[in-house]
Amino acid sequence: MTWLFNHPSDFAKEMVSGFVSANAAIVRQVPGGVVRSTCSKPGTVAVVVGGGSGHYPAFAGLVGQGLAHGAAMGNLFASPSAQQICSVARAANNGGGVLLAFGNYAGDVLHFGLARERLIAEGIPCEVIAITDDISSAVADEEEKRRGVAGDLVVFKAAAAAAERGDSLEQVLAAARLANQRTRTIGVAFSGCKLPGAGQPLFTIPEGQMAFGMGIHGEPGISEMPIGTASELSHHLVEHLLRDVPSSVPQVKGARVGAILNGLGSVKYEELFVLWHSVAEDLAQRGIEVVDPQVGEFVTSFDMAGLSLTLFWLNDELEGLWQAPVYSSAFRKGSRFNEEPLPAGQESENQVAPLPKASAESRQCAVRIAGMVDALAETVIENAEELGRIDAVAGDGDHGIGMERGVRAAREQARQALERGAGAGSVLQQAADAWADKAGGTSGAIWGVILNTIGITLGNERQPDTLVVAQAITRACDGVMHFGKAKPGDKTLVDVLLPFSEALNQQASRGQPLAEAWWNAADVAERSARETADMVPKIGRARPLAERSKGTPDAGAVSLAQIIRAVGRCMNRESETGGMACH
Ligand SMILES: Nc1ncnc2c1ncn2[C@@H]1O[C@H](COP(=O)(O)OP(=O)(O)O)[C@@H](O)[C@H]1O
Ligand SMILES: O=C(COP(=O)(O)O)[C@@H](O)CO
């Protein structure tokens, strides 16, 4: 249960403001997140971390001298957008390039990847590292599929210490990779968390049981078992971690390890110390030497009852990086830094870029497109709760919330673009950027690609006909598949977008008017969305819950089909009332 909030949708924003106000000597707020409020060495690499909010001290609490230079902060349990990440990275940049570091979650991978491309295009050298320490989330020979949890701290710390000593971007990336390769975490959960204002917990665990290996958003674990004693749990945790020792460690006996015993929210420090007592004994019995263990909260999940144990297998390089001093709000080591405060920041993120010129014909079409954005927004808002319920079966339950944030922003931005004389393409591109920025998460990134690609194809000159619209949808589908790497059959919205695009192209080649062609293709979209219920997810958050997901359609596929139908209704209304549709 989260007890205190004003309006649930303002929770993340108000939390950042309060955090910054309470820690002004260490951090300052910039659009998209926070950066250090003290000077960093000019010419050094900036380490920018980030992810969804709701995991304090990850990520803002880990910004400060010796640790991250900035943190991009998304909404609750949703990745920040590429725009947020770029804004934080620009503010954190010291002239030595930027390393973006984050946990390996689909939305984060997409948005941080996009941010990297944009920063490089602006002339800021940039690299990324997706952290993969959670051994329960994929088998050892699929390490690249593993999620990032409390091991984030080890990787952030190693990268930041390397940056602090003046390493190049390549060397900082190498330090981060070294830490990631040598860090392993396993977690356990006793009960789920309730997001601010939510009626139900995000996930539940049967009374008296613990979910061994469960992820920080309720991703399923390896097994469920009765909650035993602290020392029994210690044996389980240590045993699993010792089954997954990195191949670079020559021998377990005599090895030096760093350790983090992390509380996920409502397990008390006292309980953690009781458990640590057993863990320390278990490790000592195996001849493993623990260096500077950390027991406390480093990555949390609101009031989730659970914990994780991280071991990182030290070599001289990693031990030096781990032991370097650090002064952030939530994590401190060694002697305090005496860096000068930065002069007051003057951020100018709100500059409005000029729109490309548009013909009168395209501006007329833009009015109708803005109407369609209105219509699709209405539909998403109406169905947001239901979309959340569908997503909660095998995902993290935030699909409705994220989509609602996205469509509200897209609707607002489309209206503003219209007032500034935008053509059809620009209205869609403006809406795309706003959607991706405000929604964050996987679907935010994907919908940004969809609307942006359609906008580019429609352009700002001509009134698009059925063939051009069909071509725009084909390109959007290609763009989504290229960007998100999902294939047909993976149980994502691609399983609707692709058949819809094929059906629309068929109708277009038969010379059907747009409204009719779209309406018929929408039948295919709806059928395809229903058919995703029989599929097994092979990508994204739902992948580990493959079996549970059977019988329930994919949330993103359902919302896409609803949006397609809503746009179709709008086109029909327009053609009935005097040929207003873009044909
Ligand atoms: N790689 C991908 N390519 C295309 N669509 C995807 C991909 N991964 C997930 N999706 C779609 O995104 C939807 C989830 O969106 P959202 O709830 O925003 O995700 P998250 O909570 O992971 O950020 C899924 O239902 C699926 O349709
Ligand atoms: O949850 C996170 C992002 O998840 P996506 O579902 O991939 O957006 C992560 O940042 C930790 O909260």
Side-chain angles (χ1 to χ4, degrees):
M1 181 80 187
T2 307
W3 302 98
L4 294 178
F5 50 89
N6 294 311
H7 194 283
S9 62
D10 294 335
F11 189 93
K13 197 174 68 190
E14 293 177 355
M15 182 268 297
V16 183
S17 304
F19 166 75
V20 171
S21 143
N23 291 281
I26 301 174
V27 291
R28 71 187 171 100
Q29 193 163 2
V30 294
V34 303
V35 295
R36 293 180 183 176
S37 60
T38 51
C39 295
S40 303
K41 283 182 213 134
T44 54
V45 173
V47 177
V48 170
V49 303
S53 293
H55 301 298
Y56 188 84
F59 296 90
L62 304 178
V63 173
Q65 294 290 330
L67 202 39
H69 294 74
M73 298 165 70
N75 255 294
L76 303 182
F77 293 181
S79 64
S81 67
Q83 192 167 327
Q84 288 181 290
I85 299 161
C86 287
S87 154
V88 173
R90 284 183 210 114
N93 182 20
N94 304 308
V98 176
L99 177 72
L100 302 175
F102 48 92
N104 189 31
Y105 297 91
D108 291 306
V109 171
L110 295 178
H111 285 285
F112 279 93
L114 209 54
R116 173 177 177 266
E117 283 175 23
R118 287 190 195 159
L119 291 167
I120 291 175
E122 288 172 22
I124 300 178
C126 183
E127 290 296 348
V128 293
I129 179 149
I131 298 154
T132 53
D133 58 306
D134 185 347
I135 64 168
S136 70
S137 50
V139 291
D141 53 5
E142 289 190 333
E143 267 177 37
E144 73 292 346
K145 289 192 180 158
R146 288 179 170 176
R147 302 180 293 257
V149 282
D152 284 359
L153 173 62
V154 184
V155 179
F156 298 165
K157 175 78 177 66
E164 217 71 61
R165 73 184 175 195
D167 283 12
S168 67
L169 182 56
E170 288 68 29
Q171 290 166 323
V172 171
L173 176 62
R177 284 187 176 150
L178 171 76
N180 193 39
Q181 278 155 8
R182 286 179 162 255
T183 302
R184 303 283 189 271
T185 299
I186 182 103
V188 63
F190 311 114
S191 75
C193 58
K194 233 186 214 177
L195 296 181
Q200 296 298 322
L202 198 52
F203 54 94
T204 53
I205 296 157
E207 188 67 33
Q209 297 279 305
M210 61 183 186
F212 197 77
M214 178 169 265
I216 59 173
H217 312 92
E219 298 94 334
I222 302 167
S223 56
E224 263 178 22
M225 58 178 88
I227 303 174
T229 63
S231 60
E232 282 165 356
L233 177 55
S234 164
H235 300 332
H236 281 311
L237 295 168
V238 169
E239 205 180 285
H240 273 82
L241 288 171
L242 293 187
R243 277 190 218 147
D244 206 301
V245 176
S247 54
S248 51
V249 176
Q251 206 184 333
V252 168
K253 193 161 184 224
R256 288 166 71 78
V257 298
I260 299 173
L261 182 58
N262 175 58
L264 279 166
S266 58
V267 173
K268 300 300 300 171
Y269 272 65
E270 285 85 346
E271 295 171 271
L272 293 177
F273 288 129
V274 168
L275 180 63
W276 176 253
H277 166 77
S278 298
V279 171
E281 269 184 10
D282 281 346
L283 292 173
Q285 270 167 16
R286 288 166 158 97
I288 298 168
E289 191 176 338
V290 181
V291 177
D292 190 20
Q294 302 292 322
V295 178
E297 292 183 349
F298 303 95
V299 174
T300 61
S301 205
F302 280 104
D303 56 333
M304 176 171 173
L307 54 92
S308 62
L309 177 63
T310 301
L311 294 183
F312 44 107
W313 299 83
L314 299 168
N315 62 5
D316 290 348
E317 165 76 347
L318 187 54
E319 189 164 341
L321 296 167
W322 176 248
Q323 294 293 29
V326 50
Y327 194 85
S328 69
S329 321
F331 187 54
R332 295 173 190 178
K333 243 170 180 302
S335 53
R336 194 175 165 165
F337 290 79
N338 270 324
E339 303 298 340
E340 288 294 310
L342 273 178
Q346 281 147 24
E347 300 307 320
S348 54
E349 271 297 309
N350 292 333
Q351 277 171 5
V352 184
L355 292 171
K357 279 214 168 66
S359 69
E361 212 183 346
S362 181
R363 286 206 305 272
Q364 259 184 357
C365 183
V367 175
R368 300 196 285 277
I369 286 184
M372 290 172 197
V373 176
D374 275 349
L376 73 84
E378 294 268 302
T379 293
V380 168
I381 293 165
E382 253 168 48
N383 289 291
E385 258 189 65
E386 176 59 13
L387 292 171
R389 271 196 294 277
I390 296 173
D391 187 35
V393 173
D396 56 358
D398 68 353
H399 187 64
I401 304 173
M403 289 290 285
E404 180 168 346
R405 272 197 312 263
V407 295
R408 283 187 187 279
R411 174 168 74 179
E412 174 60 26
Q413 196 62 32
R415 287 281 148 210
Q416 285 181 18
L418 261 193
E419 280 165 23
R420 293 167 57 215
S426 295
V427 161
L428 281 169
Q429 287 184 273
Q430 293 280 313
D433 285 352
W435 188 325
D437 185 31
K438 290 294 180 294
T442 312
S443 59
I446 300 284
W447 272 96
V449 170
I450 295 177
L451 293 195
N452 195 36
T453 315
I454 300 175
I456 291 170
T457 312
L458 298 195
N460 295 304
E461 279 304 313
R462 268 185 294 273
Q463 176 101 289
D465 59 15
T466 316
L467 277 171
V468 171
V469 173
Q471 187 187 37
I473 301 293
T474 305
R475 287 188 184 160
C477 185
D478 291 346
V480 168
M481 286 167 64
H482 173 75
F483 179 60
K485 312 274 181 298
K487 294 184 291 301
D490 283 354
K491 192 164 185 166
T492 71
L493 54 76
V494 166
D495 292 306
V496 169
L497 193 52
L498 186 61
F500 172 68
S501 132
E502 286 166 357
L504 189 63
N505 274 282
Q506 250 177 27
Q507 300 273 327
S509 63
R510 285 191 214 130
Q512 299 273 30
L514 179 59
E516 206 173 310
W518 188 283
W519 191 257
N520 294 339
D523 292 343
V524 175
E526 284 174 348
R527 193 172 58 242
S528 306
R530 281 194 298 276
E531 284 170 3
T532 61
D534 303 328
M535 295 177 177
V536 173
K538 300 202 185 69
I539 200 164
R541 209 28 95 59
R543 181 183 60 82
L545 279 167
E547 283 313 308
R548 202 198 289 178
S549 153
K550 261 187 156 170
T552 305
D554 172 64
V558 172
S559 59
L560 171 57
Q562 288 170 344
I563 286 172
I564 289 171
R565 184 61 82 194
V567 170
R569 273 194 295 270
C570 194
M571 286 178 178
N572 279 346
R573 266 199 309 274
E574 288 176 347
S575 47
E576 278 163 19
T577 56
M580 288 284 282
C582 301
H583 55 71

